[in-house]
Amino acid sequence: MFENLSQKLETVFKRLRGQGRITEANVAETLREVRRVLLDADVNYKVAKQFIDDVQKRAVGSEVLNSITPGQLIIKIIYDEVVKLLGTSKAEIHTAPAPPTVILVAGLQGSGKTTFAAKLARYLKGKGSMPLMVAADIRRPAAIDQLEMLGKQLEVPVYADRAKDALAIAVDSIDFARRNIRDTVIIDTAGRLHIDEEMMQEVAAIKKRSRPHEILFVVDAMTGQDAVNTAKAFHDRLDFDGVVLTKLDGDSRGGAALSIRSVVQKPIKFIGVGEKLDALEPFYPERIASRILGMGDIVTLVEKAQEQFDEEKAVKLEEKLRKAQFTLEDFLDQLREVKKMGPLSQVMGMLPGMNRVPADVQVDDKALVRIEAMIQSMTSEERVRPSIINGSRRRRIAMGSGTTVQEVNRLLKQFEEMQRMMKRLSKGSMKRALQGMRLPAR
Amino acid sequence: MMVFSETLQKFKSGLAKTRDSLFGKVTQLVRSKSVIDEEMLERLEEILISADVGVGTTMVILDNIKNRVKQERYESSEQLSVLLKDEIGRLLQANGGAPANGIRLPDSVRPYVVMVVGVNGVGKTTTIGKLAHNFRSAGLKVVVGAADTFRAAANEQLEIWAQRAGVEMIQQSRGADPAAVAFDSLSSAIAKQADVVIIDTAGRLHTKINLMDELKKIKRVLDKRMPGAPHEVLLVLDATTGQNTLQQVRQFTTAVEVTGLVLTKLDGTAKGGVVLAISNELKIPVRFIGVGEQIDDLQPFDRRAFVNALFESSPTESP
């Protein structure tokens, strides 16, 4: 997630870090690079411009020029601005004083509303709610069937009525929920273009009649420059409470998140990170900002670990990550544990340093098998002190594991990289580092 | 043979959004000043980037315009839109291929196998419904294969489109091996002497290696059943997607050698600039564009008509 943005910013920062003193000229040059990075990542043109202006103003001030480590300061300023753009706090879903809580889900076609509705139902059910899903998309062929199937899969009831219009379905579903003691109603509406007046009126009418406590606007994270217009149009009609960013498990985006957040001033509440129904996460702006700046996302990783295995193990994992004491042996253990947490590519993105693995080296679950084989082909001494692994040992490991020397090299390099990143983080308080109070220097 | 008749009016009206917002702004820009200067070029940069043309391609266009302004001594701002039209036309030309796209069925290949791929939510199934309708209207016998066995109710959705188009659909239960469905569909089409087979596949993000491998397998299996198949691999792209589009084109092409692109939802977006980015950086022809939700709203992409439609002033503007 966001790997490309992180990667590109890192090259820019590397150059900055090399500078002993920051002059107006090289600030301008660097910020041009940052601007390009942002535009390539689909950050809206105007938002990017504002961003650069803000940073420039702060960076060229005497504060930076007189400081001992201007490079670090600029990075901190950029980080702060990213956090500022993303919003500063995590948001929750509004609930009704008396049940049922009504949640309205709206967005463009293909943004992933139906999948999100099901993920949200699963999420709320896991927290002890009794949700009802409502199929108010009567436009798309088989949308109702889709929601019904998902409901069956989740064992969550679905209210559907093929004889009614969307408005009647939405209104009647709330009575249905009351009668059937469901405390949360999730209304899945049809995808609509923000310029389709008739459809926009329909969703506004649904809002008026169903009086939702929470309106969520679902948007594809890959959306381009038009994201701001779409968000604005939906916001004008619905005054939604929060944004859901979907398809964040792909590559090279993040721009839409920055743009939408800055244009409508509403928090991003959830992110979709996969096709499976459990691939939904709350949105933590600081974490995403840390990730953008290549600092890894240890907090999410630890939380995910907590969901999967017990508290004690999770604490140990955090300890190990924090102390950066682990060996290749531990690395292997962790990889096996991590495997339980879901597709590796997702989890790896959260580890510091891992987002610097070149984009063409993709992590797939088969690679894990090879990594396992390689580590198992090492002696115990080699696992503790990888520095002793010379050329002939590398050849032996490659032969023993049925891999190539190049693969062994890559593994060792990645491991080294990871250790370095962790050392950096553990020097200061990790939490503070994540919050951007203190940024790592090279 | 050329299956799709061109209804230029529809093409134009579908592009109205792109034209009004993107090039309407250029017109305004041209009117606001009398000479081409730095500020004007900067505003042009904003217009292009805001239309998802992308930084790289925008720079290419701007550099060319700057050079020509210098060398050919253009000064008047009105010449800017002429220059821009030239540059865009040239970019699309570099893309190669016939001026009018769409799919041409060679007479010797029956059934002609079309495999449709793309990320989630771009409109693959809808596109297939429209494609099937178009082929059917041209008097061809069409079979669609429901190889999206992952998403809930994908079969049902395709079935409705198949009914609307009046074509036959081959399916298995949800969770079945998509390659097996593709194989079955092709076998059935051969037995029934169909002219065209369109294989729907599940949406997948291009970063998921295992899912991309699955796609490769579907392609291999088709080739096994009928050497040379699929004859066309269409990648469906959502016009509202930003620069990630390029990544999608690259990754899908690496996996299954995409032969043509379909750009959907062009009616709703103010964009369409990504067409230029694709032409500048990748050499895969755009075959169709989707300009509406009706079954006949899939139009062959015509480069010349596209450029002309963009630059023609809209009815609301004074000439």
Side-chain angles (χ1 to χ4, degrees), chain A residues 191-202:
Chain A
R192 61 201 79 221
L193 292 171
H194 54 294
I195 51 155
D196 185 337
E197 186 52 34
E198 196 187 317
M199 289 298 281
M200 290 305 280
Q201 274 174 13
E202 183 203 80

Side-chain angles (χ1 to χ4, degrees), chain A residues 35 39-40 42 45-46 109-110 140-142 146 149 222 224-226 247 249-253 275 362, chain B residues 45-46 49-50 52 120-121 150-153 156-157 205-206 208-209 240-244 247 265 271:
Chain A
R35 171 175 171 272
L39 291 176
D40 277 340
D42 292 323
Y45 187 89
K46 291 201 173 77
Q109 288 100 333
R140 184 165 57 101
Q146 188 187 351
M149 280 183 192
M222 297 184 279
Q225 295 282 325
D226 213 27
K247 305 179 205 173
D249 46 333
D251 58 354
S252 89
R253 70 216 51 82
E275 290 187 80
Q362 287 197 339
Chain B
E45 178 197 76
E46 173 175 357
I49 287 175
S50 301
D52 284 328
N120 318 63
F150 179 81
R151 208 196 66 188
E156 285 79 351
Q157 189 185 350
L205 287 176
H206 50 288
K208 310 264 160 125
I209 291 181
T240 56
T241 303
Q243 300 309 303
N244 195 245
Q247 228 14 55
K265 308 186 198 174
K271 313 308 167 195

Side-chain angles (χ1 to χ4, degrees), chain A residues 116-140:
Chain A
F116 167 71
K119 285 179 178 178
L120 183 63
R122 183 192 170 277
Y123 173 84
L124 294 172
K125 195 180 167 204
K127 294 193 156 220
S129 295
M130 299 205 299
L132 170 74
M133 294 196 286
V134 180
D137 178 1
I138 55 167
R139 296 255 304 192
R140 184 165 57 101

Side-chain angles (χ1 to χ4, degrees), chain B residues 38-54:
Chain B
E38 269 303 313
E39 191 200 330
M40 194 163 187
L41 290 172
E42 199 172 298
R43 297 254 305 273
L44 182 60
E45 178 197 76
E46 173 175 357
I47 291 170
L48 292 173
I49 287 175
S50 301
D52 284 328
V53 173

